[in-house]
Amino acid sequence: MTKEKIISTIFNNVTEHHGILNSLEEMKFISEHNALEVHCIDFIEKMTDPNVTKLSRAFRMTRGAISKLTKRLIKAGLIESYQKPENKKEIYYRITELGREIYLKHQSLHQDRIDRDILFFSQMNECEKDTLIRIFEKLDKHLKNELEKKGIENGKYSE
């Protein structure tokens, strides 16, 4: 087996294990609302003037599916819709106080994951850390380029 194949295999194993750990932690957090609902709340809080079009691009889902999702979140009291005085045609969304609680718990979950991984990385010497930073930056750039080839900008939602 080539070193490139060994590295790729190990990297895939690491990302799979990392994903499983994250999923297990998320399952504890998400009881009443599914991951899609929680991430929708997250996007709405982070976007400027979130609407169905922006959310459908962010999730890579149809506008109809996003409309159903936002209606569920409105019914649950997690988000609310609003219109701007200068644009009565477009409907925008913002999170409610109840939605903010879920948003903050979700942010805390992400921070806990980072803290968990920091414990591992803190055991490395400075040279190892510098090498990993360079490798991960190159890998991140490579993966972003691959996503852009598939029409996905920055691997994240776009406004």
Side-chain angles (χ1 to χ4, degrees):
M1 189 181 301
T2 65
K3 286 187 179 182
E4 290 83 0
K5 188 168 184 175
I6 292 169
I7 292 167
S8 183
T9 301
I10 292 169
F11 176 74
N12 280 297
N13 289 341
V14 167
T15 56
E16 185 175 331
H17 296 150
H18 197 259
I20 291 168
L21 273 174
N22 291 346
S23 293
L24 290 171
E25 292 167 3
E26 198 161 285
M27 283 191 314
K28 287 183 214 170
F29 166 67
I30 299 172
S31 56
E32 293 179 32
H33 306 285
N34 65 40
L36 185 61
E37 292 170 339
V38 172
H39 285 108
C40 188
I41 290 167
D42 190 67
F43 282 164
I44 289 171
E45 179 62 15
K46 291 177 180 174
M47 283 181 172
T48 304
D49 299 326
N51 58 22
V52 169
T53 301
K54 287 182 181 181
L55 291 168
S56 68
R57 272 191 248 134
F59 281 107
R60 296 171 195 87
M61 293 172 59
T62 65
R63 290 170 44 91
I66 294 299
S67 290
K68 287 179 184 178
L69 175 60
T70 54
K71 283 177 186 170
R72 258 194 336 261
L73 293 173
I74 289 170
K75 186 176 178 181
L78 300 172
I79 67 170
E80 60 188 13
S81 62
Y82 68 96
Q83 293 176 305
K84 293 183 176 183
E86 68 275 6
N87 183 357
K88 294 291 185 186
K89 180 181 151 191
E90 192 65 52
I91 296 173
Y92 302 96
Y93 302 100
R94 64 180 158 238
I95 63 174
T96 62
E97 283 305 311
L98 191 56
R100 179 163 304 288
E101 289 175 25
I102 291 173
Y103 171 78
L104 293 173
K105 286 180 187 174
H106 186 236
Q107 293 306 302
S108 177
L109 177 69
H110 283 282
Q111 188 59 51
D112 290 347
R113 291 174 182 170
I114 290 169
D115 293 344
R116 177 199 66 209
D117 295 341
I118 284 173
L119 288 174
F120 171 77
F121 293 121
S122 68
Q123 299 170 34
M124 296 179 168
N125 66 43
E126 292 306 307
C127 183
E128 289 172 321
K129 291 175 192 175
D130 290 340
T131 301
L132 269 181
I133 289 168
R134 282 193 309 277
I135 291 168
F136 285 149
E137 285 174 342
K138 285 181 183 179
L139 181 59
D140 187 49
K141 185 177 181 181
H142 166 72
L143 295 174
K144 283 180 181 178
N145 288 336
E146 290 298 311
L147 286 168
E148 285 176 12
K149 287 180 191 176
K150 297 182 184 313
I152 300 170
E153 191 176 315
N154 296 325
K156 295 185 179 180
Y157 63 88
S158 57
E159 290 195 43

